[in-house]
Amino acid sequence: MDFFVNKGIHIGQLDVRNVGGLLEAKKIADLADLYLIPMCSHNSASIICNYAAVQWAASVRDFLAAETMIGNGTWMDDVILQTDRSLRTTY
């Protein structure tokens, strides 16, 4: 809360699963909105967390961007069932 009140950040970024779920993430976003701070989503988990982040983003007043690790050709893509391998990128 101190970061919002004292303008210690320009953009808030949270991971829905690490802050306590959708309701807690929504409370944080509402607090950020009071201080005119846009929010971003960070997702370093599974596709299920990605869906949760999308739901959260739809409820945030000043949503700016989303970050995810899914689709980067890393180990995380190996645990996700993919029907079209042509969408997979390699590095």
Side-chain angles (χ1 to χ4, degrees):
M1 183 165 177
D2 291 338
F3 287 105
F4 293 128
V5 173
N6 297 316
K7 297 287 186 178
I9 57 175
H10 295 286
I11 298 171
Q13 184 176 17
L14 56 76
D15 192 328
V16 172
R17 75 181 173 125
N18 290 339
V19 299
L22 289 169
L23 184 59
E24 196 65 29
K26 178 69 170 120
K27 289 178 184 178
I28 294 169
D30 289 345
L31 179 65
D33 186 46
L34 290 175
Y35 294 98
L36 304 174
I37 297 173
M39 292 296 296
C40 292
S41 167
H42 169 75
N43 178 24
S44 61
S46 68
I47 192 76
I48 301 301
C49 290
N50 218 20
Y51 292 146
V54 168
Q55 292 296 315
W56 170 78
S59 71
V60 172
R61 186 176 181 84
D62 195 7
F63 182 75
L64 187 60
E67 173 191 21
T68 185
M69 295 177 66
I70 296 169
N72 290 331
T74 61
W75 65 269
M76 197 170 294
D77 292 335
D78 293 334
V79 298
I80 300 169
L81 178 62
Q82 296 181 7
T83 57
D84 187 358
R85 288 291 187 193
S86 67
L87 297 175
R88 185 174 181 170
T89 56
T90 57
Y91 296 95

